[in-house]
Amino acid sequence: MRAQAEAGTGANESAPVADTHTALTDADFAQEMFAETDAASDAELEARHRVAADKGDPGAMSVLGALLLRRGDLDGAEPYLRGATGEGDRAAANNLGVLLLQRGYPEEAAGWWRVAAVAGSAPAAHALGRHFRERGDEPAAEYWMRQAAESGHALGAYGLADLLEHRGDKGVERWFRAAAEQGHREAAYRLARHLRKGDPAEAEQWYRQAAARGHRRAALHLGALLEARGELKEAGRWYLTSAKQGEARAACALGFLLRDAGDEDSAAAWWHRAAQDGDGNAANALGALHAARGETQTAERWYRTAMDAGDQNGAYNLALLCAAQDRTAQAEQWYRRAAYAGHREAANALAIMLLQVGDAAGAEPWFSKAAEAGSVDAAFNLGILFASRDEDRTALKWYERAASAGHTDAALQVGIALVRDGEERAAERHLRCAAGGGSAEAAFRLAALLESLAPPPEPPALGEPVGSAPRTESEEWYERAAELGHRRAQVRVGMLAAARGDMEAAARWYREAAEAGSRNGAFNLGLLLAREGSEPEAALWWTRAAVAGHGRAALRLGLLAARHGDLAEGQKWCARAMELGPAEVSERAARLREALAEELSA
């Protein structure tokens, strides 16, 4: 522990304050407490007081002792300080405590600080508080720190705030503020940290004050605050300031800003600097940069550096790198290392890997561990795992957990389950979430649900054109799903367009669905083409649909062949229609086939 030396005082002048800061205070702040005097003025001051001090003047002895103490001349300072202390000079008592502490006699130092503190010395009260805190006597430490703080002593206010924060007591903000308002930069930083959630605007002001006084962590946090607000240029300046002062996290953050601005080379230089200073995030960033360039060996080296720095993202990224190279055994090894260290996405990836090789029993605990740690994907995967075992209730529990965290596919599964259970309104809420998240299947199912819940449409008024009614919400969701490439939605949108009489739109949607492999789309497109007289093209689409298993398309082909007199071809398609169904189609196809057989045998 180091303590603050207090100036000795003479009758008509005051000596400079020599401050040697305590262990829990900011070193640069303490340095600013030193008097701004050059060697010549110190020498002149010393000479002026030495004569009086040697004659026994207590004020002169106190000042001279303080000067010699500040210069490091403990042997020269001690007799003068002891002489002044004997005459009741409180500054000398405080400074004698500082001297004794430097000599290695903390208990004797504390005795003199008590003498000075009782006489009203704030620096001595602060030093005494530090002494008791280091010995674990927190009540005594608080008492003396509070004496110093209430006397307006910045270091005392900071020390008291630090003690109160450690104990979780009230008053922390008040005393950090008191120290910060006197220019204590560490107090300004700590005050900003306290205010950052409740009053971010004031927090920013204190970050700025601390950063302007050279506090590198304050500069880092100020940069992060500005970056989050989109003020990237100023954020970069503060990151640079902090990075130049040796803050590895600022160098790393600056690298990301430069990368996003397109300057990969400068980004790499700052990441390299941060990684060498032990920043695992920067090492990971370098690994990712080299991996993207195809420099896998260099990437692997940096990922290992990240691991050595204690960043388990390095093991996870190394696993991803190995998996991309089909080095499955090594990927599993690194996933396991990261997963055992608590990396939730590594646990999820490891579970997926185990599931892919058929080890569902081994996968389940890793999915559970990842999900319990907050992995939304793992919660969804657990839902899939339990659903595959027909444990629907357990599956739904995990789907609901993932859905509540915004997982689109999980919300879809919850919606499907609720529709199945007849809880349409609850299902609608989840389907809306999933559809809003971009799920085409959810948009289609939401549209179908809304359509089923809607009252039947009113018949058009006399003279009102068919299809003049405004589009319903279900139609809008069908269209949203269709635009996302959902084939069944495309067919449904085509049907709705046809019902409105918009055959051009209907044909467009049917064709899009058919070309994507929808047999219903192909069948309906064939119907439209046949009505327009394009029977050969219609036959092509019906053939595609029938081959894909569409019974009605096969029946249409049978009828078409019969009309053209190709009885054998007609029989073939009738047999296919009978096989595919449904029942009504099978019956019609059987009658037609029978008729064609009679025709052939006639």
Side-chain angles (χ1 to χ4, degrees):
M1 185 189 78
R2 302 167 76 183
Q4 180 181 351
E6 185 176 1
T9 55
N12 299 313
E13 60 183 317
S14 62
V17 175
D19 171 30
T20 54
H21 74 280
T22 66
L24 286 184
T25 60
D26 183 73
D28 291 338
F29 172 79
Q31 186 61 35
E32 290 162 9
M33 297 287 287
F34 279 89
E36 298 293 334
T37 56
D38 56 28
S41 61
D42 273 0
E44 181 183 346
L45 192 62
E46 180 182 332
R48 193 163 63 236
H49 284 86
R50 186 175 289 277
V51 174
D54 288 341
K55 290 180 179 180
D57 184 283
M61 286 191 289
S62 180
V63 172
L64 181 59
L67 286 170
L68 294 171
L69 173 62
R70 188 177 66 181
R71 200 168 70 199
D73 184 359
L74 304 188
D75 290 337
E78 185 169 354
Y80 288 111
L81 291 175
R82 286 191 180 277
T85 300
E87 297 294 328
D89 189 296
R90 75 177 192 191
N94 174 60
N95 291 339
L96 181 57
V98 174
L99 185 148
L100 290 167
L101 180 68
Q102 292 182 25
R103 286 196 184 279
Y105 303 112
E107 298 301 330
E108 190 179 350
W112 287 111
W113 284 329
R114 183 183 293 275
V115 169
V118 168
S121 169
H126 167 251
L128 193 55
R130 290 297 313 127
H131 172 81
F132 282 117
R133 184 170 182 190
E134 288 181 2
R135 277 149 184 76
D137 187 348
E138 291 189 355
E142 181 183 351
Y143 175 82
W144 290 111
M145 289 285 192
R146 195 174 291 277
Q147 295 298 312
E150 289 177 349
S151 297
H153 190 266
L155 296 176
Y158 175 82
L160 177 59
D162 184 77
L163 176 60
L164 294 173
E165 183 180 57
H166 167 71
R167 287 176 12 190
D169 289 346
K170 295 179 180 179
V172 174
E173 185 179 316
R174 172 194 173 188
W175 293 113
F176 274 143
R177 189 184 297 276
E181 286 173 349
Q182 294 184 65
H184 192 297
R185 68 178 191 181
E186 180 68 20
Y189 169 71
R190 300 273 292 273
L191 177 60
R193 298 285 288 167
H194 268 270
L195 293 169
R196 67 188 187 278
K197 290 183 180 178
D199 191 346
E202 189 183 359
E204 180 180 343
Q205 294 174 9
W206 289 111
Y207 276 138
R208 286 186 181 279
Q209 287 201 30
R213 297 179 71 87
H215 195 292
R216 69 188 194 187
R217 284 173 296 159
L220 166 66
H221 286 285
L222 179 58
L225 186 153
L226 292 165
E227 182 182 2
R229 210 159 63 205
E231 298 176 28
L232 303 184
K233 190 173 181 179
E234 189 181 359
R237 286 201 299 269
W238 285 111
Y239 282 148
L240 180 61
T241 298
S242 181
K244 285 182 175 179
Q245 292 170 343
E247 180 59 58
R249 290 175 296 170
C252 180
L254 181 59
F256 282 111
L257 275 189
L258 290 166
R259 181 205 62 184
D260 293 343
D263 189 353
E264 278 193 353
D265 290 338
S266 296
W270 283 106
W271 283 333
H272 195 277
R273 179 169 173 173
Q276 286 185 319
D277 287 339
D279 190 285
N281 194 25
N284 274 314
L286 281 170
L289 181 66
H290 288 288
R293 293 173 178 175
E295 301 164 359
T296 55
Q297 288 185 334
T298 307
E300 185 169 334
R301 178 167 58 82
W302 282 114
Y303 288 148
R304 289 179 183 275
T305 300
M307 284 192 294
D308 292 341
D311 190 333
Q312 291 307 318
N313 280 319
Y316 176 65
N317 290 333
L318 189 52
L320 292 174
L321 189 68
C322 292
Q325 297 172 328
D326 293 325
R327 294 156 57 190
T328 308
Q330 288 174 291
E332 182 180 340
Q333 169 196 348
W334 295 118
Y335 279 141
R336 282 188 185 277
R337 172 167 173 169
Y340 276 120
H343 195 293
R344 65 190 188 190
E345 297 311 326
N348 181 56
L350 175 60
I352 291 172
M353 181 173 280
L354 293 170
L355 201 58
Q356 287 171 342
V357 297
D359 186 4
E364 183 182 338
W366 286 113
F367 276 140
S368 295
K369 185 174 182 179
E372 294 296 348
S375 170
V376 179
D377 287 336
F380 175 67
N381 290 336
L382 270 175
I384 294 174
L385 184 64
F386 284 109
S388 70
R389 299 173 181 170
D390 295 325
E391 298 179 37
D392 293 337
R393 288 191 176 279
T394 308
L396 182 59
K397 181 191 77 170
W398 287 108
Y399 285 144
E400 286 175 337
R401 182 164 177 171
S404 67
H407 196 288
T408 297
D409 291 333
L412 169 61
Q413 293 302 321
V414 174
I416 291 171
L418 292 170
V419 168
R420 185 177 62 238
D421 294 341
E423 299 180 39
E424 287 88 355
R425 291 304 177 189
E428 180 185 338
R429 179 169 57 84
H430 283 93
L431 290 175
R432 284 188 185 278
C433 290
S439 169
E441 180 66 23
F444 172 75
R445 288 179 179 269
L446 175 61
L449 178 62
L450 293 172
E451 188 175 29
S452 71
L453 295 174
E458 295 289 335
L462 188 63
E464 185 180 359
V466 176
S468 61
R471 289 193 316 155
T472 63
E473 188 186 3
S474 65
E475 289 181 66
E476 292 174 358
W477 283 111
Y478 276 133
E479 260 191 42
R480 174 92 61 95
E483 287 164 358
L484 291 169
H486 194 285
R487 295 181 303 181
R488 292 171 66 193
Q490 290 167 344
V491 173
R492 185 66 183 137
V493 171
M495 292 171 67
L496 291 168
R500 289 195 304 270
D502 188 351
M503 297 306 171
E504 183 179 342
R508 175 169 59 84
W509 284 114
Y510 288 151
R511 188 178 296 276
E512 194 162 333
E515 288 176 347
S518 168
R519 58 192 186 187
N520 283 332
F523 174 71
N524 290 353
L525 180 58
L527 290 177
L528 277 187
L529 291 167
R531 287 172 191 165
E532 293 171 358
S534 303
E535 200 171 73
E537 188 181 354
L540 290 174
W541 287 109
W542 283 334
T543 302
R544 183 181 291 191
V547 169
H550 198 288
R552 293 185 189 279
L555 178 58
R556 286 278 175 175
L557 288 168
L559 290 167
L560 191 61
R563 195 166 66 246
H564 291 166
D566 191 345
L567 304 184
E569 182 74 5
Q571 278 192 312
K572 182 189 79 172
W573 284 116
C574 284
R576 178 67 172 157
M578 290 168 62
E579 177 188 336
L580 295 172
E584 175 199 347
V585 170
S586 297
E587 290 171 9
R588 289 184 61 194
R591 290 197 298 270
L592 178 58
R593 186 184 183 197
E594 210 174 297
L596 292 176
E598 289 176 4
E599 188 75 20
L600 278 169
S601 61

